[in-house]
Amino acid sequence: MSATSASSAPKGKVSIQTLRAKKMRKEPIAFLTAYDYPTAVALDRSGIDGILVGDSLGMVVLGYQNTISVTMQEMLHHCRAVARGVSRAHLVGDMPFMSYQVSVAEALRHAGSFLQKGGMDAVKLEGGRDRALAVKAIVSAGIPVMGHLGLTPQSVHQFGGWKIQATTSEAAKTLIEDALILEDAGCYALVLEAIPAEVAQLISNRLAIPIIGIGAGSGCDGQVLVTHDLLGLFDRFTPSFVKKYADLFSQMESAFQEYIADVRDRSFPAPEHANAMDPQALRELMHNISLIESEIEPDENIRLH
Ligand code: KIV
């Protein structure tokens, strides 16, 4: 982290108004994901604008094949851990599959849980015009909603795999309409994932709300990445739009190998890792032990053998 990035970070708690003001000033907005306390603390201290507790949790932390298996319980558990580490960044909880699709009433109740039980400031949900009613109801209850369009991972089976979306003019037009509908419904921001940069740029120019891109080019108002991808902590694959800033998985493996070798050749723990007893207390202990030993009756059975 450079001193500049930390000092240019907003001083107080980042709100949806702060994000809107950043868009108006054309200041890029930086979001990353977090799922645990130490990552949340490090992100908050680094000056990040927003933290998404994404349902990518399912893949990069829990080892599921996709995000579909993630439950409300799992999301809330990780949201609470992140919230405990953050005092400044804006916090968004990702609504998991089937927590908002069944009915508006369920969507509203589950969205409320993210604020009430998860310590989040806002929720995110995937989908376009079909989500407008749910978005309106959640926003009416005072809960900020971030939309998510493009390659929405909960629909991976409908897309037939992890494929870039909105590549034809027809599909791009539908996506732009969806973006406008979500803005009208009350979304305070949108994530655009894996779509052509030109389409994302058109949407960012057209909408007043901040557009946060992931694999959507540099024309968005901000960017988000899955932190495990950026840190090189996810072993299965790295999407082509990710810039890896570290290779922590390899570093973790070599640290583990070094530790195992140290334990096996007894170079760990070294004297500085152990607690020595006060010499006087040790002399007393040895004396007491010898007294105890002299008082112990020889065991009959042992004697017999
Ligand atoms: O779950 C997640 O991390 C996300 C981001 C990829 C935007 O939805």
Side-chain angles (χ1 to χ4, degrees):
M1 177 197 58
S2 73
T4 337
S5 64
S7 61
S8 69
K11 294 272 182 298
K13 174 79 183 168
V14 180
S15 64
I16 63 173
Q17 288 75 16
T18 322
L19 299 175
R20 182 79 167 235
K22 283 196 110 183
K23 170 162 180 145
M24 286 170 69
R25 292 197 300 268
K26 297 193 184 315
E27 277 177 34
I29 298 165
F31 265 75
L32 279 171
T33 65
Y35 320 96
D36 59 40
Y37 172 82
T39 312
V41 172
L43 283 173
D44 203 40
R45 285 191 193 163
S46 307
I48 199 87
D49 296 305
I51 297 177
L52 169 67
V53 186
D55 63 355
S56 47
L57 159 79
M59 297 175 73
V60 302
V61 173
L62 303 177
Y64 299 148
Q65 281 308 307
N66 51 48
T67 59
I68 290 166
S69 317
V70 178
T71 64
M72 273 298 292
Q73 243 186 346
E74 287 166 338
M75 285 307 302
L76 292 178
H77 177 75
H78 288 270
C79 282
R80 281 192 289 272
V82 168
R84 285 192 280 267
V86 170
S87 60
R88 193 196 46 77
H90 175 65
L91 292 174
V92 185
D94 209 1
M95 297 192 71
F97 185 56
M98 282 299 124
S99 68
Y100 56 93
Q101 292 92 337
V102 176
S103 70
V104 169
E106 273 196 35
L108 180 54
R109 190 163 47 81
H110 287 136
S113 295
F114 274 92
L115 271 66
Q116 209 165 33
K117 300 179 184 165
M120 297 289 101
D121 304 321
V123 296
K124 174 172 86 57
L125 50 80
E126 298 182 4
R129 60 199 72 198
D130 295 343
R131 303 280 88 87
L133 284 179
V135 169
K136 275 186 191 157
I138 299 170
V139 172
S140 306
I143 302 166
V145 180
M146 176 182 268
H148 186 167
L149 293 170
L151 175 48
T152 43
Q154 292 172 18
S155 304
V156 63
H157 295 313
Q158 201 162 32
F159 298 143
W162 308 97
K163 294 177 185 159
I164 187 159
Q165 299 297 305
T167 50
T168 65
S169 71
E170 199 50 42
K173 184 169 164 280
T174 306
L175 190 122
I176 294 169
E177 284 167 6
D178 278 343
L180 289 164
I181 290 168
L182 288 177
E183 183 179 50
D184 271 359
C187 281
Y188 75 95
L190 284 188
V191 167
L192 296 181
E193 179 162 358
I195 64 165
E198 295 82 353
V199 180
Q201 174 85 70
L202 277 171
I203 297 174
S204 301
N205 293 347
R206 187 84 180 266
L207 271 59
I209 58 176
I211 304 301
I212 312 296
I214 170 163
S218 60
C220 299
D221 305 304
Q223 299 292 326
V224 60
L225 280 178
V226 169
T227 293
H228 284 54
D229 290 337
L230 167 152
L231 293 177
L233 254 180
F234 185 52
D235 63 319
R236 292 216 299 263
F237 63 88
T238 308
S240 59
F241 52 74
V242 168
K243 179 172 172 188
K244 253 190 180 184
Y245 289 81
D247 191 3
L248 293 196
F249 194 84
S250 310
Q251 268 185 266
M252 193 159 74
E253 266 187 329
S254 16
F256 295 157
Q257 283 162 2
E258 233 180 283
Y259 164 76
I260 293 164
D262 282 359
V263 169
R264 290 188 179 151
D265 71 11
R266 297 185 190 282
S267 50
F268 177 82
E272 67 267 28
H273 305 124
N275 298 304
M277 200 169 181
D278 170 64
Q280 177 58 28
L282 181 58
R283 271 193 295 279
E284 279 171 26
L285 173 69
M286 299 313 281
H287 177 71
N288 290 341
I289 286 176
S290 61
L291 286 181
I292 294 166
E293 277 170 352
S294 66
E295 282 167 13
I296 293 173
E297 285 293 318
D299 186 310
E300 285 296 312
N301 289 328
I302 293 171
R303 222 164 7 128
L304 282 175
H305 288 98

